[in-house]
């Protein structure tokens, strides 16, 4: 059937599918309630078929999208009686989810009696219940301490909302109004995709769309294999390390063995360290997503990132390791860590096979969530810090982007308007600018992190939690480039000694007027520093990206 689809029809269908997921993303952005979604855009959209194949995605959060096929398979396994109007939710890491804060909504797409596709929305919730506010609990030693677990459930049945289930979910969330609003936005965006796909079927006929999808996937596979075939064959090794697990264990190793032969790639993570007692473990779906991310960063940017492009890739991992934890283990940090380290280990390995495609290390995540009372309204708030984004790694194409974010998001998460944040929350951004000298030196310099001084303007003390990594292990330099500068976060409080913030803490007291002194990491450099041009160095000094007296190029 696929041979009967002409290239023009294939291209039209491909671009229509792409536009549908993009329009779903715009709907999410404009209708969601919480700042984590409508400002920072911590959500992703996709279309999968009933076999769990990724058909189309929007350019949002790579670590989300790479896990969605596994979530789709969990839904397919659970429900055999899906009907038009059904809406299915899940977030459980042991039922196809990545971590608990990422709630996923599925809407089935039918052509007559036949169910063909799913429109899918995954969005990070600003709270998901559990022992601590904000969805992360560094003290957790089991998943039950991390929040509300949602296996595949039907929130709507044949178009009818199950109010009892929605009430159950919202009752377990600290900010139920935002949760209900965000969930409504997710369902609405998924239904928007349903309407657009139904129109596509009406215009072309479902058999033509199905055949076009097969040719789209086949073309992506052919393009990907053509790229891989130009790389050096062999067996390559890379490793990366987590600072710690927050429970006394440090230097946790993620190991990647990559075998490249012809147009096939096998990535084996089996030699990674054993799982931990804390939330830095990875779920299976999240591990798969991290591998897909690394692979996607190595192939051409214009190749559609769908199931066809992933056909040359085989993933091997061992359950009970840091990259694939046993059921019941806490995993909430996993979308950041060890996802970033999985990517880093793979890219390091592949730098010996396709050096011009191997980026230097992007920065690691170091988040802060604050819960307190807004004195202007008397209402409780939960604020997640998406400002002070760290720097991206350099590449053979040039310097890294400054304040772009981490490897698992590659710019998909935004820090949003500072002015809007100050209006919505009792915060004062006293200082927010590039952190000079933070990018790793090299032929191409790593992107800079940010220097932020943030003052809390509450009338009562607030509480903060941290979750992240990267104060010991900095973003790696690549092919002779230097590492970036690691994170450095401090709490400045009158009458108290300045306090260094650890990456995995709960219950930090922040008094009214206290200042969070945030210095985020810079990305790694690419290539020998001696090869950086004099003009580039002069431009760095003129723009204040490096200190005038900085010693570089050694």
């Amino acid at each position: 059937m696929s041979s009967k689809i002409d290239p023009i029809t294939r291209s039209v269908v491909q671009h229509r599918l792409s536009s549908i997921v993009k329009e779903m993303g715009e709907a999410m952005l404009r209708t969601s309630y919480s700042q984590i979604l409508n400002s920072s855009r911590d959500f992703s959209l996709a279309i999968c078929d009933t076999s769990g194949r990724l058909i189309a995605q929007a350019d949002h959060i790579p670590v989300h999208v790479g896990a969605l096929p596994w979530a789709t398979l969990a839904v397919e396994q659970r429900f055999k009686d899906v009907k038009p109007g059904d809406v299915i939710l899940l977030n459980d890491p042991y039922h196809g989810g990545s971590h608990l804060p990422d709630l996923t909504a599925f809407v089935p797409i039918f052509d007559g009696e036949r169910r063909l596709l799913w429109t899918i929305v995954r969005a990070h919730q600003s709270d998901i219940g559990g022992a601590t506010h904000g969805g992360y609990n560094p003290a957790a030693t089991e998943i039950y301490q991390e929040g509300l677990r949602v296996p595949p459930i039907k929130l709507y049945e044949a178009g009818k909302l199950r109010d009892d289930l929605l009430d159950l979910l919202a009752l377990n969330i600290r900010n139920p109004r935002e949760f209900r609003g965000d969930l409504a936005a997710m369902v609405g965006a998924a239904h928007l995709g349903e309407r657009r796909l139904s129109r596509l079927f009406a215009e072309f006929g479902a058999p033509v769309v199905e055949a076009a999808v097969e040719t789209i996937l086949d073309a992506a596979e052919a393009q990907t294999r053509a790229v891989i075939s130009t790389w050096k064959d062999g067996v390559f090794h890379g490793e990366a390390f987590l600072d710690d697990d927050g429970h006394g264990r440090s230097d946790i190793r993620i190991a990647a063995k990559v075998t490249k032969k012809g147009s096939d790639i096998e990535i084996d993570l089996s030699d990674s360290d054993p799982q931990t007692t804390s939330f830095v473990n990875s779920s299976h779906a999240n591990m798969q997503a991290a591998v897909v991310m690394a692979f996607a960063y190595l192939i051409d940017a214009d190749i559609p990132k769908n199931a066809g492009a992933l056909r040359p890739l085989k993933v091997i991992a061992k359950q009970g390791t840091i990259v694939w934890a046993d059921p019941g283990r806490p995993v909430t940090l996993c979308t950041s860590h060890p996802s970033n380290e999985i990517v880093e280990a793979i890219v390091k390995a592949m730098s010996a096979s396709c050096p011009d495609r191997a980026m230097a290390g992007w920065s690691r995540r170091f988040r802060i969530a604050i819960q307190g009372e807004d004195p202007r309204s008397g209402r409780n708030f939960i604020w997640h810090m998406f400002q002070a984004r760290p720097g991206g790694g350099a590449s053979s194409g040039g310097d890294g982007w400054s304040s772009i974010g981490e490897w698992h998001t590659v710019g998909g998460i935004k820090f949003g308007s500072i002015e809007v944040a100050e209006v919505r929350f009792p915060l004062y951004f006293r200082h927010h600018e590039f952190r000079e000298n933070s990018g790793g030196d090299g032929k191409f310099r790593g992107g800079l992190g940010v220097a932020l001084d943030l003052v809390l303007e509450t009338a009562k003390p607030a509480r903060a939690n941290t979750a992240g990594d990267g104060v010991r292990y900095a973003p790696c330099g690549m092919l002779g480039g230097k590492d970036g500068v690691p994170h450095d976060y401090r709490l400045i409080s009158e009458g108290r000694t300045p306090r260094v913030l650890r990456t995995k803490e709960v219950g930090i007291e922040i008094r009214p007027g206290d200042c969070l002194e945030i210095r985020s990491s810079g990305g790694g450099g690419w290539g020998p520093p001696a090869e950086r041009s004099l003009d580039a160095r002069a431009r760095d000094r003129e723009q204040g990206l490096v200190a005038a007296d900085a010693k570089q190029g050694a």
Side-chain angles (χ1 to χ4, degrees), residues 344 360-364 391 393 470 473-477 482-486 521-525:
E344 181 178 315
W362 285 51
S363 295
R364 304 187 180 194
Y473 286 101
C476 65
K482 301 297 183 182
D483 293 349
V485 174
S521 171

Side-chain angles (χ1 to χ4, degrees), residues 225-384:
R225 289 192 181 279
V227 170
I228 296 172
S229 296
T230 66
W231 302 348
K232 178 182 176 181
D233 283 350
V235 179
F236 310 100
H237 297 269
E239 64 180 14
F241 292 87
L242 288 159
D243 287 350
D244 60 79
D245 69 351
H247 291 245
R249 182 177 165 191
S250 59
D251 305 317
I252 301 168
R253 177 175 177 262
I254 288 84
K257 174 186 174 184
V258 182
T259 303
K260 189 272 176 183
K261 184 177 181 181
S263 64
D264 290 301
I265 295 283
E266 178 184 277
I267 296 176
D268 188 346
L269 304 176
S270 301
D271 197 35
S272 299
D273 277 356
Q275 61 194 0
T276 78
T277 58
S278 88
F279 69 164
V280 302
N281 297 301
S282 180
S283 64
H284 175 265
N286 180 77
M287 175 270 294
Q288 295 280 353
V291 175
V292 167
M293 280 194 295
F295 182 64
Y297 299 160
L298 293 167
I299 63 177
D300 290 356
D302 59 356
I303 296 176
K305 306 306 185 292
N306 56 34
L310 302 180
R311 288 172 183 165
L313 178 64
K314 179 181 179 181
V315 181
I316 300 173
K318 180 181 177 182
Q319 188 170 346
T321 62
I322 189 71
V323 302
W324 181 4
D326 291 328
R329 294 277 178 157
V331 295
T332 299
L333 192 60
C334 72
T335 53
S336 299
H337 306 288
S339 285
N340 276 270
E341 291 71 30
I342 293 171
V343 174
E344 181 178 315
I346 294 169
V347 173
K348 281 180 176 177
M350 292 307 294
S351 67
S353 176
C354 51
D356 287 348
R357 293 174 177 267
M359 292 186 292
W362 285 51
S363 295
R364 304 187 180 194
R365 184 80 169 105
F366 188 171
R367 63 173 289 287
I368 299 175
I370 300 174
Q371 181 183 36
E373 181 183 295
D374 190 335
R376 300 168 297 184
S377 64
R379 295 172 60 179
N380 288 329
F381 69 90
I382 299 175
W383 178 77
H384 295 260

Side-chain angles (χ1 to χ4, degrees), residues 403-414:
S403 189
I404 191 68
E406 308 85 0
W407 227 333
H408 68 286
T409 65
V410 290
I413 289 180
K414 317 298 181 184

Side-chain angles (χ1 to χ4, degrees), residues 37 66 75 80 121 125-126 136 139 222 253 267 276 287 351-352 439 462 464 493 509 531:
L37 300 182
V75 170
K80 306 300 182 185
V121 180
Q125 306 303 303
S126 59
Y136 291 82
R253 177 175 177 262
I267 296 176
T276 78
M287 175 270 294
S351 67
S493 183
E509 183 185 53
E531 297 181 11

Side-chain angles (χ1 to χ4, degrees), residues 209-230:
V209 175
E210 290 178 273
V213 165
E214 296 304 322
T215 65
I216 291 166
L217 300 183
D218 290 345
E221 178 184 9
Q223 289 176 278
T224 303
R225 289 192 181 279
V227 170
I228 296 172
S229 296
T230 66

